[in-house]
Amino acid sequence: MSESKTRAGNTTVHVALGERSYDIHIGEGLLSRAGEIVAPFLKRPLTAIVTDAHVAEAHLATLERALSAKGIRSTAIVMPPGEATKSYQHLADLCDRLLAAGIERRDRIIAFGGGVIGDLAGFAAAILRRGVDFIQIPTTLLAQVDSSVGGKTGINSPHGKNLIGAFHQPLAVISDIGLLSTLPRRELAAGYAEVAKYGLLGDKAFFEWLEGSAPAIMRGNSEALIRAIRSSCEAKARIVAEDETETGVRALLNLGHTFGHALEAATGYSQRLLHGEGVAIGMVQAFRFSERQGLCAPGAADRVAKHLKSAGLPVHASQIPGDLPPPATLLEIMRQDKKAQGGKLTFILVRDIGDAFIARDVAEHDVLDFLTGDLRQR
Ligand code: NAD
Ligand code: GLY
């Protein structure tokens, strides 16, 4: 991983993966330069843009103009917004529409949206004609700091989240912070949870910087946003370069996710709980559980909760509207999580802020006791 400064604060982070290496372009005004950035990757001046209806309404015309300014013809495929689009049905529909658009194996697809579109379009690219390359243009904070980087693609199954998928690295990532100006505040906060995650899992100094900078980031201050996205991408690039397919250290990126995914599944992947909100609640639970197990000094969980709350995030399951299933059902959902191995639950636990570790043998009764106590608290 290396990082180089370019003009006007724009910056590039390199993901070092041998022949699958790529650059993440971060900054302002990049969407209107997308044709220039994308053109060197194309074998012929034709592409398909996969997006969703919200992104299409706000930004598709700018992208299409930027491509056609460089003589690139594009077909836009507009999917419905929302987590439910990461499904078998929408995957089949998307693959057929890509084939109908004349996409051949040598062509490149553009994933233009949040994590839902990036995961779905990336997976479609991985399987279409046995593998087509793709470029990520992430449009949410969550996608700019996390899902567009690292090559995890996939869809959900009725059995759980992201259970069907492939590792398929993009050729490039183009993160224009201007895209975030149309993002609803709740979605911006959900993305912020993944920014905070990098501090919490391995970089206390970054977390401390965030404690002072969250208001500027949430206001859309360019300098603060670029720094937050750059530091997040550097952290992710470092981890992915070391462990591309999650046989080890990459699991740290799942801090808060085992708890969070269970809550997401329990709320039907609906607007009741966004992915980043589940991660926020899940990270606080991971800190509280670690404290309860005597692994982490008391006080860290409260500090994490205070910070995430200040960014507008929920920090306790009781803030999720509507009823939740009992703790035993949440535990049952955790057993289906793909991070479960040989029937044992794997959690990312913490010794301190910035010091997470992989715990592969967590006793189910400890988790059940914790959830029972935690869910009782309001
Ligand atoms: P999302 O893609 O559903 O986007 C959130 C909402 O914002 C949608 O309604 C979308 O239409 C809208 N939107 C997107 N960009 C916009 C913009 N610029 N202006 C206005 N509206 C805009 O959600 P997300 O939070 O980006 O991603 C969540 C998904 O990412 C989950 O499915 C999660 O599993 C996945 N994820 C994947 C990885 C990975 O490594 N592949 C990592 C983290 C999360
Ligand atoms: N978001 C977890 C990962 O990319 O590994």
Side-chain angles (χ1 to χ4, degrees), residues 146-147 149-152 162 167 194 197-198 236 239-240 243-244 246 250-255 257 275:
D146 194 351
S147 62
V149 177
K152 278 190 183 176
N162 299 330
F167 285 99
E194 303 276 14
K197 180 183 78 177
Y198 294 106
K236 183 150 187 183
I239 290 173
V240 168
D243 177 22
E244 184 179 5
E246 199 171 312
R250 185 165 180 169
L252 292 176
L253 294 172
N254 297 322
L255 176 62
H257 283 56
H275 173 71

Side-chain angles (χ1 to χ4, degrees), residues 144-202:
Q144 295 189 352
V145 299
D146 194 351
S147 62
S148 65
V149 177
K152 278 190 183 176
T153 70
I155 57 169
N156 303 325
S157 145
H159 290 279
K161 205 169 151 63
N162 299 330
L163 293 181
I164 313 295
F167 285 99
H168 189 47
Q169 300 292 343
L171 293 174
V173 180
I174 305 169
S175 287
D176 184 339
I177 60 163
L179 287 160
L180 306 181
S181 64
T182 54
L183 196 62
R185 195 176 167 82
R186 184 179 173 199
E187 297 288 354
L188 192 69
Y192 184 81
E194 303 276 14
V195 176
K197 180 183 78 177
Y198 294 106
L200 294 175
L201 72 86

Side-chain angles (χ1 to χ4, degrees), residues 222-304:
S222 302
E223 204 182 315
L225 260 179
I226 290 176
R227 178 161 172 195
I229 295 167
R230 189 193 73 211
S231 297
S232 300
C233 289
E234 284 173 345
K236 183 150 187 183
R238 210 179 299 119
I239 290 173
V240 168
E242 193 179 329
D243 177 22
E244 184 179 5
T245 56
E246 199 171 312
T247 54
V249 69
R250 185 165 180 169
L252 292 176
L253 294 172
N254 297 322
L255 176 62
H257 283 56
T258 302
F259 287 116
H261 279 178
L263 293 170
E264 271 189 275
T267 48
Y269 306 111
S270 67
Q271 286 297 310
R272 282 174 66 197
L273 184 72
L274 303 180
H275 173 71
E277 294 172 340
V279 170
I281 296 171
M283 290 193 299
V284 175
Q285 285 180 314
F287 271 83
R288 293 209 189 285
F289 182 69
S290 300
E291 286 185 7
R292 189 187 151 111
Q293 297 299 103
L295 299 164
C296 174
D302 281 344
R303 183 173 169 188
V304 173

